[in-house]
Amino acid sequence: VRPVEDSICSTPEEVEKTLAAGTSKISEAPEEVDSLLVHAKTLQAFLDTTPLPALQHPFCAYRYVQKMCNAFGKKVMDAALPEGEWMRFESKACLAMEAEEQEESRDNFLRGQELVKNSSQRFGDTSEPPEVLPSRLSDPDEAAEMIGGIRTLITRRLILRAGETLEAKELRELSMDVVTDAVEAAGLDQVIGIQSWARQTALELAQAAADKLDVKLREK
């Protein structure tokens, strides 16, 4: 249950009332989180080692699952749990994250517009007929979706390093291959100047994610 306004729920009856009034809404928990039950001290250790910005981020569930499964390995066992509905509550911090997601969507679209414009101009200088040119993005919305995918993959990688200190080179390596793979998949790898765009985009998206997730860069 996620609050939409200043609603406080402590009983099932209050939850039903706020849902009916529209001051709360249902929020689906990631399936992986639903399937993991841990000891309280294990959860506390995770909370103690995860910076607050990462705890409030939507991808915290990804960090949680990766940390639990990789840290305990064979100790993770299957368990048969009672059927029925389970309930959790989310704080209003989630509302701030929704606003941030909207801002990122706008940035993705602006970057997508620029990418389509630049790639079209550069392809337009060629003497090759259109049918022999490599496939490429021509729709800003598709380009924005591609950039959103890049942002998601970079953020997933960096949330696993939240609270750590990285070398600038390591940050570049964490992000550059994601952008390169996306460029090749979109058929843009033959666009003149695309590598420069890829390096700049990788750096900017990685730096933005690092700032939000408390990933520090080691000063030279």
Side-chain angles (χ1 to χ4, degrees):
V1 176
R2 176 182 296 180
V4 176
E5 299 177 0
D6 292 323
S7 56
I8 299 176
C9 307
S10 57
T11 67
E13 291 76 16
E14 290 176 348
V15 171
E16 292 296 336
K17 288 181 180 179
T18 59
L19 288 174
T23 55
S24 295
K25 64 179 182 179
I26 301 296
S27 175
E28 296 294 334
E31 185 177 347
E32 297 86 351
V33 174
D34 287 345
S35 64
L36 279 177
L37 297 177
V38 300
H39 291 293
K41 64 179 182 180
T42 303
L43 177 59
Q44 187 62 55
F46 172 81
L47 297 175
D48 291 342
T49 57
T50 301
L52 182 59
L55 287 173
Q56 294 177 332
H57 198 277
F59 289 170
C60 184
Y62 177 74
R63 174 183 170 92
Y64 173 74
V65 172
Q66 293 296 312
K67 292 290 185 181
M68 293 300 106
C69 293
N70 292 335
F72 297 98
K74 294 181 180 179
K75 292 184 179 180
V76 177
M77 299 179 296
D78 293 333
L81 301 177
E83 296 292 336
E85 295 184 354
W86 291 63
M87 184 179 295
R88 69 189 178 106
F89 293 89
E90 290 185 352
S91 72
K92 292 196 70 174
C94 297
L95 302 181
M97 293 308 303
E98 286 184 352
E100 183 176 302
E101 289 170 1
Q102 292 176 356
E103 180 182 342
E104 289 179 350
S105 294
R106 287 193 293 269
D107 183 64
N108 292 341
F109 184 74
L110 292 175
R111 290 177 183 273
Q113 281 184 315
E114 180 185 13
L115 177 60
V116 169
K117 178 181 177 181
N118 290 342
S119 62
S120 298
Q121 288 176 343
R122 286 160 181 162
F123 271 125
D125 294 335
T126 182
S127 59
E128 297 288 349
E131 60 270 16
V132 301
L133 290 174
S135 61
R136 62 191 185 278
L137 293 176
S138 58
D139 182 0
D141 288 324
E142 292 181 2
E145 184 177 350
M146 182 190 87
I147 292 170
I150 291 172
R151 190 190 297 272
T152 294
L153 291 175
I154 290 175
T155 304
R156 278 177 172 251
R157 289 185 176 187
L158 283 175
I159 200 167
L160 298 179
R161 310 297 296 273
E164 299 181 22
T165 300
L166 304 180
E167 300 284 353
K169 179 182 178 181
E170 190 174 6
L171 184 67
R172 289 195 300 270
E173 292 174 346
L174 280 170
S175 56
M176 188 60 199
D177 66 308
V178 174
V179 183
T180 300
D181 289 346
V183 165
E184 292 178 354
L188 296 171
D189 49 309
Q190 295 185 37
V191 174
I192 299 172
I194 194 65
Q195 288 303 316
S196 175
W197 176 88
R199 286 192 297 270
Q200 185 67 24
T201 300
L203 178 62
E204 291 175 355
L205 295 184
Q207 186 64 66
D211 291 343
K212 292 176 182 177
L213 297 172
D214 197 24
V215 177
K216 303 175 182 64
L217 291 182
R218 184 170 287 110
E219 297 181 1
K220 296 182 179 179

